[in-house]
Amino acid sequence: ACLMASFKAFSQWFPLERQASLTGWMMTAGTLGALAASTPLNAAVQAAGWRGVFLALACLTLAVTGWLFFSVPDKPGIPNPEPLSAQWTGVKAVLKDRHFWRFAPLGFAQIGGFMAIQSLWSGAWLIHVNGYSRGDAADHLAAMSVAMVLAYALIGLLATRIARRGIGTLHLLGGGMAGSLLTLLLIITEATGQHYLLWILYGTFSSFGTLAYSLTSAGFPVALSGRANTTFNLMVFLGAFGLQWGLGVMIDGLRAGGFSTLAAHRGTFFMLLTLQACSYLWLILPRQRKVHKDAA
């Protein structure tokens, strides 16, 4: 609700060329919140206990909700909410649109796949393949998270300026996803010994995947932009949870078939990389970009 409602508001209030920067700032805020839920949260729990922390978070959330409700104006001329049947008709229109399916595979495989790795399998890789301790693996992942915050902030600062110089959001997305694929390949093959650097670069390049949200909604009228983004977001989380589970099934299956733990992890990551590469090639196939006239 927080992320999708923000994207919807951005599409209503701001021109198309600013969407990428606003998306970057929103993701910066979210990633800072995720970082706050690590070491700072642990320190707060030690000081106040988990009940005290939960109570403080609930009060803070309520205060922010009230501030949004009373301070953020509605866009003039926005019609009343549609009945449920009309809303489902809009969802069906999104699902039938070729523009949506240009980006949906990327959301599932590459953005969702990165989330599956970041949330679970990166730690397993660092421990079982690279041989790091749990503490050293956590340090690698913390460095990757910090890099993601900086990447989102740079997107927020520079995306609009870059777009005005002729480098569109699609080019930024394509470049970032290409960098993500290349970095994951280097991680899998262990082509270099720079594990810290590779995981930092992997997080940095993968952060550009968030630009797919604004590109997806740009192909639909503003009235459908929220449904376009939430449907795309559904594809992302289907990929995140489905691939997180599927990678584990494949690793277990390969180990049961006689492969070593290292070979099972490496083979499984190669399969994910292949799936992501296919979704990337589907994205960059030459076709006319669709931008709805009132999306801006």
Side-chain angles (χ1 to χ4, degrees):
C2 297
L3 186 63
M4 296 298 102
S6 300
F7 288 168
K8 174 68 174 181
F10 294 159
S11 68
Q12 290 179 336
W13 280 98
F14 298 97
L16 182 63
E17 66 178 14
R18 295 193 61 189
Q19 299 297 313
S21 289
L22 292 165
T23 299
W25 285 123
M26 188 63 191
M27 297 304 296
T28 300
T31 309
L32 286 172
L35 285 175
S38 55
T39 302
L41 177 62
N42 183 59
V45 169
Q46 298 301 318
W50 68 265
R51 291 183 184 274
V53 171
F54 271 45
L55 179 60
L57 287 173
C59 292
L60 180 61
T61 302
L62 185 61
V64 171
T65 301
W67 176 74
L68 286 170
F69 183 80
F70 290 108
S71 67
V72 179
D74 288 324
K75 180 76 172 179
I78 297 298
N80 293 326
E82 299 174 339
L84 185 60
S85 59
Q87 294 180 37
W88 277 112
T89 299
V91 173
K92 292 177 183 177
V94 170
L95 288 172
K96 291 179 180 178
D97 197 291
R98 291 183 179 180
H99 175 81
F100 174 79
W101 289 107
R102 178 181 187 183
F103 296 94
L106 185 86
F108 178 88
Q110 195 152 3
I111 303 175
F114 169 73
M115 291 173 65
I117 290 177
Q118 181 198 21
S119 59
L120 179 61
W121 292 108
S122 53
W125 178 276
L126 287 162
I127 293 170
H128 297 302
V129 177
N130 296 143
Y132 287 108
S133 67
R134 203 167 289 275
D136 288 336
D139 289 342
H140 280 69
L141 300 182
M144 181 173 68
S145 296
V146 171
M148 290 174 65
V149 173
L150 296 176
Y152 287 135
L154 285 174
I155 292 171
L157 284 170
L158 301 177
T160 300
R161 299 178 187 177
I162 292 175
R164 289 171 178 168
R165 296 186 178 183
I167 302 176
T169 305
L170 184 61
H171 294 93
L172 290 177
L173 174 64
M177 294 298 92
S180 175
L181 288 171
L182 176 60
T183 309
L184 182 58
L185 176 63
L186 294 175
I187 289 172
I188 294 171
T189 58
E190 295 188 277
T192 73
Q194 303 298 321
H195 296 146
Y196 256 116
L197 178 61
L198 286 177
W199 284 100
I200 287 172
L201 290 175
Y202 185 50
T204 300
F205 286 127
S206 297
S207 299
F208 283 80
T210 191
L211 298 174
Y213 286 92
S214 60
L215 286 167
T216 299
S217 64
F220 297 91
V222 171
L224 287 179
S225 62
R227 275 164 282 191
N229 269 329
T230 51
T231 307
F232 180 79
N233 199 49
L234 175 63
M235 298 298 297
V236 170
F237 277 90
L238 285 174
F241 295 124
L243 292 172
Q244 186 183 82
W245 171 79
L247 291 175
V249 170
M250 183 169 289
I251 289 172
D252 288 344
L254 289 174
R255 291 176 63 189
F259 287 84
S260 67
T261 298
L262 187 151
H265 278 76
R266 182 165 287 144
T268 300
F269 271 49
F270 260 123
M271 289 297 295
L272 175 62
L273 179 66
T274 301
L275 179 64
Q276 291 181 334
C278 290
S279 72
Y280 178 77
L281 291 174
W282 176 254
L283 171 73
I284 63 174
L285 282 175
R287 52 168 73 87
Q288 184 176 1
R289 184 186 169 197
K290 176 186 175 185
V291 178
H292 201 274
K293 63 181 180 180
D294 70 350

